Amino acid sequence: MILYTEIETAYNAQKATFFSGNTFVLRTTTGAIGKTGHVDIITGIRRCGKSTFMHQIAAERNEQIGFFNFEDPRIFNFEVSDFSKLLLVIGEGVNVYFFDEIQNIVGWEVFVRSLHDQGKKVFITGSNASLLSRELGTRLTGRQLSYELFPFSYKEFLQFENKEASYKSFGEFLEHGGFPEYLKYRTIDTLQQLFKDIIYRDIVVRHGVRNVKPLIDIALHLISNAAKEYTLNKLKNTYNIGSTNSVAEYVSWFEDSYLIFSVPQFSWSAKSKAINPKKVYTIDTGFAKANSLSYTNDIGRLLENAVFLHLRRNGFEINYFKQKGECDFVVFRSKEFAGAFQVCTEFNLDNKDRELNGLVESLIFFDKPAGTIVTLNQEDYFTISQKEIKVVPVWKWMMA
């Protein structure tokens, strides 16, 4: 429990920032956000711009707005009983509420349900996907819509940097990634501190982890091996973890915090998907470089990670395909096949057969007529086994 005056002090300080009139990059993932009477949930990794995105949505609404950031250290002891004081501080006549990192307060979902039942529009942001969906799922089943926000896409990066789409600007995007704060100040400590915040604030504290070293070791291993396969059993043996269940917990915590993403090998069998090796990707290429030494000369894996993120931003369900050959990504939308993509920095005589064979094999398997090879800066066109293969530069592909 905290005092009314403490909430008021924090709110007034936040208000000065919220309505400061800052300019910002317009995010491209708005979709239907704010267009329904549902509770809108915006999730994403720390520092990707969720709070600024809230400002963008608020600026588009001609209504009296209430808001509060629950990560404010001045309200550290805020409890569910304090929500009534918060409403008094915000004042009457408010029909739209924005709450940042509200999942920090135990029992918050009861408060949100109450606002929703009163016909109020509520926007929530948070950095833990499953925590928000699990808790709201019990109180607001069918009454919430979820959206994911990522660090800047290539298009947003160009807007932020005031650059044109080109091979050169994409190279800069691949090098630096899309975290707004890092792009503004270009201090690598920003991305390294972000890693620590996720580990300690989103995982160690939240889950009561006592032995932190193996948790960090596995997180860094997965980030350093982005675009590679992994298995829980191999991680267990490499880092002498007691059981695969513990490793599975670690990985699920990393995924919930948007630190990494696991991509299954395609199979019609759910059991096969579960037991086959998965491929791992991380949230941002600049973040990966800042927290690992493994990308010094490996542009190929950074490129594949960037292509994965582009597909994920666009809402595809993503698998990799592996039989005799391998195709990096086969994607689906609403359970319907939506494309096959192979990724390589340069398509040449040395890798031509490998890249084409895996892609064509996947197209034959799904009985689809065309696929795409995404490269750094090449354009070409082939017909192989009656399948049309387009070779496209990544920087043009991401602008399409």
Side-chain angles (χ1 to χ4, degrees), residues 12-225:
N12 287 333
Q14 292 179 22
K15 187 176 181 179
T17 302
F18 195 87
F19 292 114
S20 62
N22 290 336
T23 57
F24 38 71
V25 171
L26 294 177
R27 305 308 297 266
T28 55
T29 53
T30 53
I33 201 162
K35 305 292 194 298
T36 72
H38 291 76
V39 175
D40 285 341
I41 306 168
I42 306 160
T43 57
I45 194 169
R46 286 179 176 275
R47 314 307 300 169
C48 73
K50 296 187 298 297
S51 299
T52 305
F53 188 39
M54 279 207 307
H55 299 179
Q56 176 183 329
I57 299 167
E60 295 168 353
R61 302 186 73 96
N62 187 26
E63 299 165 89
Q64 192 171 341
I65 287 165
F67 60 90
F68 203 68
N69 179 1
F70 290 91
E71 284 223 312
D72 193 319
R74 288 167 290 206
I75 51 99
F76 179 75
N77 292 316
F78 195 103
E79 298 176 356
V80 68
S81 60
D82 295 317
F83 279 117
S84 59
K85 298 176 188 176
L86 175 62
L87 290 180
L88 289 174
V89 169
I90 291 173
E92 298 180 352
V94 174
N95 290 313
V96 182
Y97 291 89
F98 293 83
F99 296 125
D100 206 358
E101 300 292 350
I102 196 174
Q103 81 278 350
N104 291 334
I105 312 303
V106 176
W108 62 270
E109 66 276 13
V110 178
F111 170 67
V112 170
R113 169 67 184 265
S114 174
L115 288 177
H116 183 267
D117 287 346
Q118 295 171 45
K120 308 295 186 181
K121 178 64 183 179
V122 182
F123 296 88
I124 295 170
T125 73
S127 53
N128 187 292
S130 73
L131 191 63
L132 283 167
S133 61
R134 182 176 67 245
E135 292 178 354
L136 269 182
T138 61
R139 301 281 180 178
L140 280 167
T141 303
R143 304 180 192 186
Q144 79 271 21
L145 293 173
S146 296
Y147 305 86
E148 289 183 319
L149 195 69
F150 290 80
F152 287 155
S153 66
Y154 178 48
K155 279 186 180 181
E156 292 164 341
F157 170 86
L158 293 176
Q159 184 185 345
F160 186 85
E161 295 282 302
N162 194 27
K163 296 180 184 294
E164 298 293 326
S166 67
Y167 170 66
K168 181 181 178 182
S169 65
F170 181 80
E172 294 173 12
F173 175 65
L174 205 62
E175 172 79 14
H176 298 294
F179 276 101
E181 188 177 357
Y182 171 72
L183 292 176
K184 186 175 181 179
Y185 299 108
R186 300 295 173 98
T187 55
I188 198 170
D189 291 351
T190 302
L191 298 177
Q192 293 172 342
Q193 184 60 47
L194 173 61
F195 173 79
K196 295 173 187 174
D197 286 346
I198 293 167
I199 292 296
Y200 286 99
R201 297 171 68 180
D202 293 340
I203 297 176
V204 172
V205 172
R206 184 164 286 155
H207 299 286
V209 179
R210 294 182 180 180
N211 188 3
V212 178
K213 186 178 185 304
L215 182 81
I216 294 176
D217 287 343
I218 292 176
L220 290 173
H221 174 97
L222 291 170
I223 292 170
S224 300
N225 287 277

Side-chain angles (χ1 to χ4, degrees), residues 213-366:
K213 186 178 185 304
L215 182 81
I216 294 176
D217 287 343
I218 292 176
L220 290 173
H221 174 97
L222 291 170
I223 292 170
S224 300
N225 287 277
K228 292 185 178 180
E229 293 180 11
Y230 79 91
T231 66
L232 298 177
N233 196 53
K234 187 172 181 180
L235 288 173
K236 177 183 81 75
N237 294 334
T238 300
Y239 294 100
N240 296 315
I241 309 296
S243 70
T244 53
N245 288 338
S246 296
V247 179
E249 272 197 326
Y250 292 169
V251 171
S252 71
W253 296 340
F254 301 150
E255 291 174 332
D256 286 345
S257 300
Y258 289 93
L259 190 65
I260 63 158
F261 305 87
S262 296
V263 172
Q265 181 179 333
F266 176 82
S267 174
W268 298 120
S269 163
K271 182 179 179 181
S272 295
K273 270 192 172 184
I275 63 175
N276 284 333
K278 292 180 171 63
K279 291 181 76 174
V280 64
Y281 298 91
T282 191
I283 185 64
D284 179 79
T285 53
F287 178 84
K289 286 177 68 69
N291 290 285
S292 171
L293 296 175
S294 69
Y295 296 99
T296 307
N297 297 307
D298 201 336
I299 302 300
R301 286 198 291 127
L302 286 174
L303 176 61
E304 187 175 329
N305 203 115
V307 169
F308 163 80
L309 290 170
H310 183 75
L311 294 169
R312 176 64 187 258
R313 280 189 186 95
N314 282 277
F316 291 107
E317 177 193 339
I318 307 170
N319 296 254
Y320 74 95
F321 181 88
K322 192 171 186 178
Q323 288 190 343
K324 291 180 181 178
E326 182 173 331
C327 179
D328 292 321
F329 302 114
V330 289
V331 302
F332 302 81
R333 197 185 293 280
S334 301
K335 299 184 179 180
E336 295 292 326
F337 180 90
F341 301 90
Q342 197 75 291
V343 183
C344 63
T345 54
E346 183 182 4
F347 187 62
N348 53 44
L349 290 175
D350 293 334
N351 62 19
K352 178 171 70 72
D353 289 343
R354 181 179 72 250
E355 305 293 355
L356 284 173
N357 290 347
L359 179 57
V360 170
E361 186 179 24
S362 72
L363 295 172
I364 292 171
F365 179 88
F366 290 105

